[in-house]
Amino acid sequence: MALLEALQERSGNICELCASTENLQVYEVPPVSTGGLDGSILACKTCIDQIEKQEEMDSNHWRCLNDSMWSEHDAVKVVAWRMLNRLKSEGWPQDLLGMMYLEDEALEWAKATGEGKDESEKIIHRDVNGNILENGDNVVLIKDLKVKGSSMVAKQGTAVRRISLDHENAEYIEGKVDGQQIVIVTKYVKKT
Ligand SMILES: [Zn+2]
């Protein structure tokens, strides 16, 4: 069964975060290397846009986490945990976080993108021009890059969509080139 169909069946064809039935898509929960059914959720465009771009955040929309944080699926709980952390300053998300329970493994996954850390502890990723890179950004390669562990060369000018950040290391991001997930050094990319 394709991933989308499996997620539709699991969720009853609703957004696993806000229960919307509109514009549903697969959202692979970063780091994308987890992948697959256990590493993905079905989510609406409204949710995904806000997950990926902080500036479009509508905190009231996320009241939906009140319900979805109790999901039986770790991928859903991980996203809920991250969004609650991002909204913590609103007050109510802090209360929900206090009630939420994640197994150690899921908690480690939730923390893998650096969400929930203080600004001062956060690792900042920057492109060649010093622009800050965020999860979900699109970048272009500014030189030919050998892909580690394969004979593939990612060509200069290749667009990499929806990158994910390596939150252990400010020099690395991950993204898909020719359908393959690769690690890219930030100084060789330009944000688009
Ligand atoms: Zn939604």
Side-chain angles (χ1 to χ4, degrees):
M1 208 187 327
L3 182 56
L4 176 63
E5 286 165 13
L7 284 169
Q8 284 170 336
E9 189 175 301
R10 178 175 91 183
S11 63
N13 210 13
I14 59 170
C15 173
E16 288 183 283
L17 298 169
C18 75
S20 166
T21 55
E22 312 258 315
N23 298 317
L24 299 175
Q25 307 168 18
V26 174
Y27 175 69
E28 292 180 293
V29 182
V32 177
S33 40
T34 319
L37 182 59
D38 290 338
S40 307
I41 62 170
L42 189 68
C44 71
K45 192 172 178 302
T46 308
C47 284
I48 293 176
D49 282 352
Q50 293 186 52
I51 291 168
E52 294 187 336
K53 293 281 169 213
Q54 294 200 20
E55 59 269 27
E56 289 161 28
M57 194 79 137
D58 165 14
S59 64
N60 265 328
H61 176 77
W62 296 100
R63 297 269 179 179
C64 61
L65 296 177
N66 211 346
D67 295 319
S68 46
M69 66 183 246
W70 303 107
S71 166
E72 58 184 302
H73 305 293
D74 279 348
V76 179
K77 290 206 277 194
V78 162
V79 175
W81 187 91
R82 287 178 187 166
M83 296 313 284
L84 289 171
N85 267 289
R86 208 185 284 179
L87 291 161
K88 220 157 45 177
S89 61
E90 301 273 325
W92 60 264
Q94 185 80 55
D95 298 339
L96 295 187
L97 274 174
M99 286 190 279
M100 201 173 177
Y101 178 74
L102 287 172
E103 300 281 352
D104 288 349
E105 206 180 315
L107 187 60
E108 204 174 302
W109 178 16
K111 287 179 175 170
T113 55
E115 213 79 62
K117 281 189 181 170
D118 289 341
E119 286 302 320
S120 57
E121 298 174 65
K122 252 189 203 166
I123 296 175
I124 309 287
H125 293 67
R126 292 179 190 274
D127 75 356
V128 65
N129 295 323
N131 293 315
I132 293 178
L133 298 169
E134 311 245 28
N135 284 310
D137 277 350
N138 302 325
V139 300
V140 164
L141 304 182
I142 59 160
K143 59 174 273 185
D144 290 358
L145 298 177
K146 278 198 183 129
V147 177
K148 230 170 142 184
S150 89
S151 58
M152 189 175 126
V153 175
K155 290 280 181 201
Q156 179 181 354
T158 301
V160 184
R161 297 195 58 238
R162 294 175 55 178
I163 57 163
S164 50
L165 307 178
D166 179 336
H167 273 276
E168 298 293 306
N169 194 322
E171 280 171 39
Y172 296 117
I173 56 172
E174 280 186 43
K176 270 190 185 146
V177 172
D178 291 341
Q180 198 185 335
Q181 188 76 10
I182 64 168
V183 174
I184 308 166
V185 181
T186 50
K187 67 181 174 192
Y188 298 138
V189 305
K190 195 168 75 183
K191 188 166 166 167
T192 52

